[in-house]
């Protein structure tokens, strides 16, 4: 039996009240203080993961009790210490590898400091997150009749670990790319590299709104704690893949733009009769890709740091995609704000986009 741990944290205070109903009675400022000083907790025991290759795995969700806002605002050293303590909790439970979920993979140096301070392997899950996001985009583009080789793609957060790898791989198939981030010199370097390697037209921008307005496909992978993509910025028929947690895409997009397809990247079917013991808003037996990467490495017996630091390679993404296929992990369709996207839904979006373009052309 292979064993792993995965660190989760509340994306907002409401997540705490759902898991621990008694916390509803505590004033918010008291609850935030309790989270700041509270120890890591075992959230649940994960069972039933079974590879077609015959390997089995069990694991534990371990709670690092800080919200994204706290992780951004509190001293980095304090936040890292809490993450390290959570990883050690996973180790004490029996895990031989631990995955860093959501903002625990963003703080500091993307897992390198955590890995140096525990006696088990550490991964962020970013490689498989990229792999499944790109699978989702290809599937969505096919369903929406958007030819990738003619598409313009905006990558928001392009200089980050996930963003840069996503941009490099998408550059194999698309016509034009807009790279968006806050630091121009990093953007220029990445743009030059992609243009030289793939011969496509690459532009850079620090303006999210303008980049979205140019794009047939938007890939949102920033570490912003608030939403940054608004409905007014998107073309009819735009495909928007939101890989970030917390979300980069405003819920208003789903509520007001029936001619736009917005979905979360990286929803994965896990092999076996899986019991997570935690409701994170997905159908039974499915998980985030970052969680799945930790499970895949455990099933493979690869107890090593896999996705660590800011320099995620294309080779890593390709390798973890191959291991996922070997062990029976697969894309579980698309989801948008806790709802499954059906083929009928996509057909309706496509028809609404056609009508919106006709209307715009008649004005």
């Amino acid at each position: 039996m292979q064993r792993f741990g995965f660190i989760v944290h509340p994306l907002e205070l409401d997540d705490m009240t759902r898991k621990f109903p008694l916390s509803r009675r505590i004033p918010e400022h008291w609850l935030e203080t309790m989270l700041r000083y509270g120890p890591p907790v075992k959230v649940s025991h994960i069972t039933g993961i079974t590879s077609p290759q015959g390997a089995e795995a069990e694991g534990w969700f371990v709670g690092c009790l800080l919200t994204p806002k706290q992780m951004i605002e509190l001293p980095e050293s304090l936040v890292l210490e809490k993450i390290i303590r959570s990883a050690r909790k996973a180790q004490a439970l029996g895990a031989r590898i631990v995955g860093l979920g959501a903002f625990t993979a963003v703080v500091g140096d993307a897992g390198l400091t955590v890995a140096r301070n525990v006696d088990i392997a550490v991964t962020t899950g970013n490689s498989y997150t990229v792999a499944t996001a790109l699978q989702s985009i290809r599937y969505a583009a096919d369903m929406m009749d958007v030819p990738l080789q003619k598409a313009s793609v905006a990558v928001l957060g392009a200089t980050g670990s996930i963003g840069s790898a996503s941009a490099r791989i998408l550059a194999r198939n698309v016509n034009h790319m807009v790279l968006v981030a806050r630091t121009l010199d990093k953007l220029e370097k990445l743009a030059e590299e992609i243009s030289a390697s793939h011969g496509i037209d690459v532009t850079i921008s620090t303006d999210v709104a303008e980049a979205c307005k140019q794009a047939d496909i938007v890939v949102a992978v920033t570490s912003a704690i608030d939403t940054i993509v608004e409905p007014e910025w998107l073309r009819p028929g735009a495909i928007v893949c939101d890989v970030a947690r917390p979300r980069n895409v405003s819920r208003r997009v789903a509520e007001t733009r029936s001619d736009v397809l917005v979905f979360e990247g990286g929803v994965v079917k896990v092999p076996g009769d899986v019991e997570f013991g935690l409701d994170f808003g997905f159908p039974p037996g499915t998980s985030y890709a970052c969680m799945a990467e930790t499970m895949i490495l455990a099933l493979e017996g690869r107890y090593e740091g896999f996705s660590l630091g800011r320099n995620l390679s294309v080779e890593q993404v390709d390798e973890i995609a191959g291991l996922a296929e070997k062990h029976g992990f697969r894309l579980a369709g698309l989801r948008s704000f806790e709802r499954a996207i059906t083929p009928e839904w996509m057909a309706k979006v496509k028809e609404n986009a056609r009508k919106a373009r006709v209307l715009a052309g008649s004005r």
Side-chain angles (χ1 to χ4, degrees):
M1 179 70 73
Q2 308 290 355
R3 293 180 172 87
F4 67 93
F6 192 82
I7 299 175
V8 296
H9 69 88
L11 295 181
E12 52 191 21
L13 288 177
D14 283 349
D15 291 337
M16 286 295 298
T17 60
R18 280 194 293 271
K19 180 63 181 174
F20 305 105
L22 289 177
S23 65
R24 293 192 185 102
R25 303 177 182 179
I26 303 172
E28 281 194 7
H29 65 283
W30 287 9
L31 185 56
E32 286 182 342
T33 301
M34 292 171 64
L35 294 181
R36 174 173 179 170
Y37 294 105
V41 297
K42 178 182 126 178
V43 176
S44 69
H45 182 206
I46 306 163
T47 60
I49 302 170
T50 307
S51 165
Q53 304 297 317
E56 297 181 351
E58 66 173 343
W60 296 267
F61 282 128
V62 175
C64 178
L65 303 184
L66 289 175
T67 65
K69 182 174 182 289
Q70 288 176 305
M71 290 189 185
I72 294 296
E73 295 178 352
L74 291 174
E76 185 177 284
S77 59
L78 184 153
V79 176
L80 282 172
E81 180 56 32
K82 288 202 64 141
I83 298 170
I84 291 166
R85 290 174 64 194
S86 300
R88 289 173 179 163
K89 176 75 172 180
Q91 180 180 332
L93 288 167
R96 298 178 61 190
I97 185 170
V98 63
L100 306 181
F103 262 62
T104 68
V106 175
V107 174
D109 50 16
L112 291 171
T113 296
V114 178
R116 287 194 296 267
N117 284 275
V118 296
D119 297 324
I120 57 176
V122 178
T123 189
T124 62
N126 284 348
S127 297
Y128 195 45
T129 295
V130 171
T132 56
L134 299 182
Q135 290 171 12
S136 300
I137 290 167
R138 294 186 189 105
Y139 171 70
D142 183 60
M143 294 294 290
M144 292 284 289
D145 293 333
V146 176
L148 281 177
Q149 67 272 18
K150 297 181 180 180
S152 176
V153 177
V155 181
L156 315 182
T159 56
S161 173
I162 294 176
S164 61
S166 298
R168 291 185 179 99
I169 295 174
L170 279 170
R172 298 168 177 171
N173 305 112
V174 303
N175 175 57
H176 174 254
M177 184 171 287
V178 183
L179 304 177
V180 185
R182 289 176 293 186
T183 309
L184 280 173
D185 57 342
K186 291 182 179 179
L187 282 171
E188 289 168 354
K189 183 178 179 180
L190 180 61
E192 289 171 4
E193 175 191 334
I194 290 174
S195 182
S197 298
H198 300 281
I200 68 169
D201 180 30
V202 184
T203 58
I204 63 174
S205 177
T206 58
D207 189 327
V208 172
E210 284 305 311
C212 288
K213 290 173 184 177
Q214 299 176 39
D216 302 302
I217 298 171
V218 177
V219 187
V221 288
T222 83
S223 57
I225 63 173
D226 296 314
T227 57
I228 61 169
V229 178
E230 299 297 337
E232 297 82 6
W233 306 343
L234 298 168
R235 293 178 174 180
I239 294 169
V240 185
C241 178
D242 190 354
V243 185
R245 286 298 174 272
R247 290 184 175 92
N248 282 171
V249 178
S250 168
R251 186 176 288 272
R252 290 179 56 239
V253 176
E255 292 171 344
T256 66
R257 292 296 301 272
S258 61
D259 60 340
V260 167
L261 183 66
V262 55
F263 59 90
E264 294 95 15
V267 181
V268 176
K269 180 72 176 72
V270 179
D273 188 13
V274 185
E275 292 290 343
F276 289 118
L278 175 66
D279 180 7
F280 42 87
F282 283 9
T286 62
S287 78
Y288 289 109
C290 53
M291 296 174 181
E293 178 174 309
T294 314
M295 302 171 202
I296 293 164
L297 293 171
L299 288 169
E300 184 70 5
R302 290 278 294 271
Y303 293 118
E304 61 189 62
F306 192 82
S307 302
L308 288 175
R310 304 293 181 193
N311 298 315
L312 192 66
S313 72
V314 170
E315 291 74 20
Q316 283 174 288
V317 176
D318 291 339
E319 181 180 10
I320 199 67
L323 291 176
E325 184 176 358
K326 171 184 175 180
H327 288 292
F329 291 76
R330 59 178 174 80
L331 186 68
L334 307 181
R335 290 182 62 78
S336 180
F337 294 93
E338 290 79 47
R339 295 175 59 198
I341 297 177
T342 64
E344 293 78 15
W345 182 338
M346 282 188 273
K348 187 65 174 176
V349 171
K350 185 164 61 173
E351 175 61 16
N352 290 338
R354 185 192 66 79
K355 291 178 179 177
R357 293 189 194 103
V358 170
L359 182 61
S362 67
R363 290 172 179 168

